[in-house]
Amino acid sequence: MLRISCPWCGPRDETEFGYGGQAHLKRPDNPEALDDAAWAEFLFLRDNPEGPFVERWVHSHGCRRWFNAVRDTKTDRVIATYRPDETPPEAAKMVLKGQEGGR
């Protein structure tokens, strides 16, 4: 079983959490200017790396707060968790820097 450390409640079993997808997505500056294909790409296409990935999670059976996690998708190991209002830890910064070349 995966153990996830909620930034407010501490380590808990994964069954207490809900997955929220890729973290730190930048919304389009001018969404009304996007055509249907570009809008669909923003809404539905996400990175799917093998290795460290920054994700959003919600502690749905606990404090009900959203937070970010750096999780290795290959090993399923949670490397770090942090609140959305916090500066990302170094592990997240390295992942995000690598994603800048993508979408």
Side-chain angles (χ1 to χ4, degrees):
M1 173 161 302
L2 186 62
R3 295 282 287 177
I4 300 172
S5 185
C6 172
W8 291 275
C9 304
R12 303 289 195 271
D13 290 337
E14 69 180 298
T15 56
E16 291 190 19
F17 299 92
Y19 179 74
Q22 185 173 351
H24 300 289
L25 293 174
K26 183 182 180 309
R27 292 189 59 83
D29 291 330
N30 194 3
E32 55 278 343
L34 297 179
D35 64 12
D36 288 344
W39 189 243
E41 182 175 336
F42 169 74
L43 290 175
F44 301 113
L45 297 182
R46 298 290 180 252
D47 294 335
N48 187 19
E50 180 178 13
F53 188 53
V54 183
E55 307 168 325
R56 297 187 70 221
W57 288 81
V58 62
H59 194 179
S60 51
H61 294 285
C63 65
R64 302 182 66 121
R65 294 182 184 179
W66 286 91
F67 62 94
N68 297 319
V70 181
R71 183 177 64 91
D72 189 318
T73 60
K74 188 173 182 179
T75 63
D76 218 17
R77 182 174 72 91
V78 176
I79 299 165
T81 59
Y82 58 100
R83 297 187 325 248
D85 63 338
E86 290 181 318
T87 301
E90 284 304 313
K93 287 179 185 175
M94 291 185 340
V95 173
L96 293 168
K97 189 172 192 77
Q99 291 174 357
E100 286 175 358
R103 264 188 279 290

